[in-house]
Amino acid sequence: MTSECLKSFYSISTKLSLSFSYSQCLPSTGGGTTATSKTTTASGSTSTSGSTSTSVDAKFKAHGKQYFGTCGDQNTLSESQVNTIVKADFGQLTPENSMKWDATEPSQNSFSFTGADYLVNYAQTNGKLVRGHTFVWYSQLPSWVSAITSASTLTSVIQNHITTIVTRYKGKVAKYDVCNEIFNEDGTLRSSVFSNLLGNTFVDIAYNAAHAADSSAKLYINDYNLDSVNAKVNGLVSLVNSKRAAGIPIHGIGSQTHLSAGGASGVQAALTQLATAADEVAITELDIASAPASDYVTVVKACLAVSKCVGITVWGVSDKDSWRASSTPLLFDTNFQPKAAYTAILNAL
């Protein structure tokens, strides 16, 4: 898949001391199609490319959860195979890139909603819950925001950005990742234009603005490397507890859960710890290198075991479109066929 990428690199460590480089990319405008074919899945049933006989979303919801979803944008959702799979198998959508700051407000007070509108309209048409992603993030941030030097200016910019978007999608987006990746690995606040000018009060500003624009939306704080009980988990829990005690409307904590193979064993304990600080938690960007069935099942069972875990979002449909394509981390292969991990999840449910 060709892409024009805005890259933010950091090390994502696991208990196995493995790491990889994170790069969230702006998707290509091209979208080739692959001929529909038939194959025999790991369960032994015959499946047409782009569909499965049983919805993992439906089975997950039968256990009292809200959704089992995926991410996408117009470039992927317009692919016929992705469209078929999303409609049949997933109950929730997160915009992969189209709701980030560089996409929605590339220049000050000049908003573009083409991509985000497509995603939200698609979700509404097809009965999918939407998780908005994301407002305050140090990456994919327009240079005009990074260049701000006044705390008061930055405050008004954050308020205007969030208010404009949340108001536009009021009643259409159920949950938002308001702040994304604001912590260092040791649990301290990451250096960014937001923290450098406003300390941790940018958190108050962002969540208050989102809540004022749509009081029914659940507001999340989202981060990576929350896959075991570690310093980052503890730092996040501490900040959320202090902010909630002060009346800041943080409702949920999202664990991205980008894993290396064999890295799922600590997920349940981490979710349990995160759940002590919020009304709900969720796995928000799940992918696992090589897509081991056992690891995927471990993550699904972890969410099932934590009552406050409301849902799982897999970060893409097919390996073809994954930001980690070379590690084949998703539930559907490059020919849009369900892998053994998908079948294992169905069997576990």
Side-chain angles (χ1 to χ4, degrees):
M1 178 178 68
T2 59
S3 305
E4 292 298 327
C5 300
L6 290 180
K7 296 188 176 180
S8 168
F9 292 101
Y10 51 72
S11 174
I12 298 182
S13 303
T14 70
K15 297 178 78 173
L16 298 178
S17 298
L18 299 174
S19 66
F20 54 87
S21 180
Y22 188 110
S23 166
Q24 289 212 2
C25 300
L26 294 177
S28 68
T29 55
T33 58
T34 303
T36 299
S37 61
K38 289 189 176 181
T39 189
T40 300
T41 67
S43 63
S45 61
T46 300
S47 171
T48 300
S49 176
S51 67
T52 57
S53 58
T54 308
S55 166
V56 69
D57 178 63
K59 295 195 75 170
F60 199 54
K61 287 175 177 173
H63 287 267
K65 301 304 180 181
Q66 294 181 14
Y67 61 84
F68 194 100
T70 189
C71 72
D73 270 321
Q74 185 170 358
N75 67 306
T76 49
L77 294 172
S78 60
E79 292 183 84
S80 61
Q81 297 92 338
V82 173
N83 176 54
T84 299
I85 292 170
V86 169
K87 287 181 178 179
D89 298 307
F90 295 106
Q92 172 269 327
L93 282 168
T94 299
E96 186 172 9
N97 286 291
S98 65
M99 214 173 274
K100 292 171 182 173
W101 203 314
D102 61 348
T104 53
E105 194 184 4
S107 57
Q108 188 166 6
N109 212 33
S110 178
F111 286 87
S112 174
F113 296 111
T114 302
D117 280 356
Y118 183 96
L119 184 286
V120 173
N121 291 339
Y122 178 99
Q124 286 205 298
T125 299
N126 293 288
K128 311 299 182 184
L129 180 147
V130 177
R131 295 190 79 261
H133 176 81
T134 180
F135 297 136
V136 177
W137 187 30
Y138 72 93
S139 186
Q140 290 184 230
L141 189 66
S143 58
W144 70 266
V145 181
S146 301
I148 293 172
T149 58
S150 162
S152 60
T153 298
L154 184 59
T155 297
S156 63
V157 163
I158 293 170
Q159 290 170 331
N160 182 61
H161 181 77
I162 292 175
T163 300
T164 299
I165 297 170
V166 177
T167 299
R168 183 178 186 86
Y169 300 117
K170 184 176 183 179
K172 298 178 180 180
V173 175
K175 308 172 194 292
Y176 285 99
D177 293 329
V178 177
C179 287
N180 190 49
E181 300 174 7
I182 67 171
F183 290 94
N184 296 312
E185 295 307 301
D186 64 0
T188 59
L189 207 61
R190 180 194 292 273
S191 175
S192 69
V193 65
F194 306 109
S195 62
N196 293 344
L197 291 180
L198 297 167
N200 69 25
T201 64
F202 74 85
V203 175
D204 311 36
I205 294 162
Y207 286 88
N208 285 335
H211 187 67
D214 187 353
S215 61
S216 67
K218 299 295 184 183
L219 307 180
Y220 273 65
I221 186 167
N222 191 54
D223 219 314
Y224 65 97
N225 276 359
L226 307 179
D227 311 313
S228 62
V229 179
N230 55 32
K232 193 173 195 178
V233 166
N234 292 333
L236 188 153
V237 165
S238 177
L239 182 134
V240 171
N241 276 330
S242 67
K243 292 300 183 183
R244 282 167 57 93
I248 305 304
I250 303 175
H251 308 118
I253 299 173
S255 174
Q256 293 182 11
T257 322
H258 296 295
L259 299 175
S260 295
S265 62
V267 171
Q268 183 175 329
L271 287 176
T272 300
Q273 177 71 356
L274 295 171
T276 64
D279 301 328
E280 57 187 60
V281 297
I283 292 166
T284 56
E285 303 181 20
L286 177 63
D287 51 21
I288 309 175
S290 303
S294 59
D295 284 335
Y296 263 105
V297 169
T298 296
V299 172
V300 170
K301 287 184 174 180
C303 184
L304 290 176
V306 177
S307 60
K308 287 185 178 180
C309 185
V310 299
I312 293 174
T313 304
V314 179
W315 205 241
V317 173
S318 164
D319 288 336
K320 171 183 173 292
D321 298 314
S322 171
W323 68 283
R324 299 173 67 188
S326 63
S327 65
T328 61
L330 298 177
L331 296 176
F332 291 81
D333 66 21
T334 56
N335 293 315
F336 302 95
Q337 296 300 326
K339 297 183 189 176
Y342 187 96
T343 304
I345 292 172
L346 288 177
N347 291 339
L349 294 173

